[in-house]
Amino acid sequence: MVSIDTDKERIYQLLNEIPDPEIPVISVTDLGVIRKVEWEDDTLTISITPTYSGCPAMKQIEQDIEKKLADSGYEKVKVKTVFTPAWTTDWISDEARERLRKYGIAPPQGSADKSLITTEPKVVPCPQCGSRNTQLTSQFGSTPCKALYKCLDCKEPFDYFKCI
Amino acid sequence: MDTKEALFKYCLRLADNNLVLGHRLSELCSNGPILEEDIATTNIALDLIGQARHLYQYAAEVEGKGRTEDDLAYKRAEREFYNTLLSEQPNGDFAVTIARQFFIDVFDYYFYKELLNSKDERLKELAARAIKEVTYHLRHSTQWILRLGDGTEESHKRLQTAVDGLWMYTGELFEMNEVDEILIKEGIAPNLNDIKTKWESKVSEVLAESTITKPEDGWMQTGSRKGMHSEHLGYILAEMQYLQRAYPDAQW
Ligand SMILES: [Zn+2]
């Protein structure tokens, strides 16, 4: 019989093996959407929070969690959605940011702004060549969490993980 | 009307606004003026429809009659929708799409900021999520207002026409009825008169910077708080609700 704590550690390890459906180089735990792992009687409850209200990946993440845990022998699993505190890119670990950069996505710069409106977009270094000479193409990109940039030196377009 | 009924109707109003505008924007999917805008408008649509889903889920819970988010979105008739007339106006040219979006983004920005103080925990949580998204939407539409207004002669002319044409729908954003009265008293809903002051000041500031003349307030269209709509909503619902109407309770 394993103690509850060791068990939770193992569960976190399992969750850490689940890739984000849209950005597979980071896991769902790296992304920070896993908010809580707890036992409610004999049911394992995982609380997740959406990155964006309409993020289409949330359903997929839910199913991936259920499948992963079921495959690992956890029979009764419930995934529930919580909204507070609201998800922020501040929860993405430094190590995960580095993996994003290597994958070609510029990681969020600095910490989430409260007054996004008055703030000019910060310098976003190119993930390919490191140049700081880059330009915003569009505030919206291939997924809700990204913006489009281009590098004026190496001329490559790239995704930027928006800081929210 | 008791608080529960008021809260249910309030959630429907907020959800309907987001769903209908989200649907309008989704019409631009693959029809955007440039690829980046195609992606931007559909991303905004996604945020709005996502917010609508959470609001419908909450409305269904508050009502407690076993209806689901899908029942509320797909099985209500036109007269049971409470979205603003502004949100259902057609996309028109890109200037119209942007002007409509800008007026609504400014409203949503100040509205959700106030809703963060709501005594209703769920609305407060939804506002905390939505404000981050709406801030981006507002930044996007503001930049386009500046670019089109202070752009070429043609873009300026089109934006001025769009702003003039939509102005009569902006008064309704701030209309309050019994639902608001009850919820303001409970500390659940913001007073829209306060939002109006902030909205007017922001809109004036951005229009001035974009060299667009702010229209004089004249006759303001009204009706949506009672479920009275322009001719456009029926067409939106006919398309959006088609599947559930033709094949009731169809599932994926
Ligand atoms: Zn570069």
Side-chain angles (χ1 to χ4, degrees):
Chain A
M1 183 87 192
V2 284
S3 83
I4 295 246
D5 279 346
T6 13
D7 206 26
K8 270 196 185 173
E9 212 166 284
R10 174 164 174 255
I11 293 161
Y12 270 109
Q13 274 166 12
L14 290 169
L15 294 175
N16 198 33
E17 290 166 15
I18 303 174
D20 175 83
E22 284 169 344
I23 311 166
V25 288
I26 59 173
S27 75
V28 293
T29 51
D30 288 331
L31 189 62
V33 296
I34 308 284
R35 302 314 300 159
K36 209 184 213 177
V37 170
E38 64 196 324
W39 286 96
E40 285 172 355
D41 298 324
D42 60 344
T43 304
L44 177 58
T45 306
I46 315 287
S47 301
I48 60 174
T49 195
T51 52
Y52 283 76
S53 297
C55 181
M58 294 314 291
K59 193 73 203 165
Q60 185 66 45
I61 290 176
E62 205 178 302
Q63 288 167 357
D64 290 349
I65 292 173
E66 282 165 1
K67 181 166 190 316
K68 181 82 184 180
L69 293 174
D71 290 350
S72 311
Y74 294 92
E75 278 168 11
K76 283 191 179 171
V77 176
K78 192 173 91 189
V79 181
K80 71 175 182 196
T81 305
V82 295
F83 289 95
T84 31
W87 181 81
T88 161
T89 41
D90 292 354
W91 294 341
I92 301 176
S93 66
D94 287 344
E95 197 238 318
R97 283 168 197 245
E98 183 53 23
R99 260 180 284 142
L100 280 174
R101 196 189 57 75
K102 284 198 181 128
Y103 187 61
I105 298 173
Q109 294 294 307
S111 78
D113 264 317
K114 286 228 168 78
S115 56
L116 290 157
I117 282 208
T118 48
T119 320
E120 285 298 304
K122 303 170 198 73
V123 174
V124 178
C126 169
Q128 308 291 344
C129 73
S131 164
R132 296 170 67 83
N133 187 18
T134 60
Q135 202 179 56
L136 177 74
T137 312
S138 173
Q139 278 162 347
F140 296 89
S142 54
T143 64
C145 56
K146 287 179 266 159
L148 283 177
Y149 272 74
K150 63 182 170 192
C151 175
L152 300 175
D153 285 333
C154 75
K155 311 291 183 200
E156 285 287 331
F158 63 90
D159 272 339
Y160 166 58
F161 208 114
K162 285 188 284 203
C163 189
I164 71 161
Chain B
M1 196 186 305
D2 59 6
T3 310
K4 194 176 126 179
E5 192 188 343
L7 183 59
F8 170 67
K9 287 192 168 160
Y10 195 69
C11 291
L12 278 188
R13 186 203 293 173
L14 303 184
D16 290 346
N17 277 332
N18 285 335
L19 181 67
V20 170
L21 182 62
H23 186 88
R24 270 291 182 233
L25 291 176
S26 72
E27 289 170 5
L28 289 168
C29 185
S30 81
N31 291 306
I34 48 171
L35 182 61
E36 284 79 8
E37 273 318 295
D38 200 302
I39 294 170
T41 43
T42 43
N43 260 296
I44 295 168
L46 193 63
D47 286 342
L48 294 174
I49 293 168
Q51 292 164 11
R53 285 192 60 186
H54 298 312
L55 286 159
Y56 283 132
Q57 283 163 11
Y58 186 37
E61 281 172 41
V62 170
E63 189 193 33
K65 288 185 184 162
R67 286 206 276 185
T68 66
E69 51 174 312
D70 283 348
D71 293 332
L72 293 174
Y74 295 125
K75 293 181 185 168
R76 277 179 306 141
E78 191 188 347
R79 286 293 302 270
E80 296 167 279
F81 270 75
Y82 299 111
N83 60 282
T84 58
L85 299 174
L86 183 58
S87 65
E88 70 200 29
Q89 294 310 303
N91 290 330
D93 62 14
F94 188 57
V96 172
T97 300
I98 287 299
R100 182 188 64 199
Q101 193 64 34
F102 174 66
F103 292 150
I104 294 175
D105 287 345
V106 176
F107 177 87
D108 282 353
Y109 178 74
Y110 292 114
F111 175 78
Y112 282 119
K113 253 186 146 171
E114 279 302 313
L115 199 62
L116 287 172
N117 304 316
S118 174
K119 283 193 181 142
D120 184 281
E121 279 305 314
R122 282 286 285 279
L123 287 181
K124 198 173 150 171
E125 288 179 6
L126 292 170
R129 177 71 262 135
I131 187 71
K132 292 187 177 211
E133 292 156 9
V134 166
T135 304
Y136 263 97
H137 302 171
L138 177 57
R139 212 155 89 178
H140 168 260
S141 56
T142 302
Q143 283 172 3
W144 271 111
I145 292 282
L146 297 174
R147 212 165 140 186
L148 295 175
D150 200 11
T152 65
E153 208 178 300
E154 177 71 12
S155 71
H156 177 91
K157 195 181 85 195
R158 281 179 183 245
L159 184 60
Q160 185 69 61
T161 307
V163 166
D164 292 344
L166 291 175
W167 196 256
M168 64 180 168
Y169 297 107
T170 59
E172 202 196 35
L173 295 171
F174 311 100
E175 273 181 21
M176 289 185 280
N177 59 13
E178 199 191 344
V179 168
D180 298 78
E181 249 168 64
I182 294 169
L183 298 182
I184 289 171
K185 231 177 266 165
E186 299 281 335
I188 293 173
N191 187 325
L192 297 183
N193 287 329
D194 302 341
I195 312 278
K196 189 174 189 202
T197 319
K198 293 174 185 162
W199 185 90
E200 279 177 347
S201 134
K202 180 75 182 172
V203 166
S204 303
E205 177 200 316
V206 175
L207 289 185
E209 197 184 335
S210 71
T211 74
I212 292 290
T213 310
K214 186 183 157 209
E216 293 289 328
D217 282 353
W219 164 254
M220 289 291 182
Q221 297 288 346
T222 177
S224 76
R225 297 284 195 259
K226 294 194 184 97
M228 304 282 287
H229 291 274
S230 62
E231 69 272 32
H232 307 295
L233 183 65
Y235 291 96
I236 295 180
L237 296 184
E239 190 186 357
M240 190 167 67
Q241 299 182 334
Y242 165 77
L243 198 97
Q244 282 298 327
R245 299 293 188 185
Y247 305 93
D249 300 322
Q251 302 260 335
W252 282 107

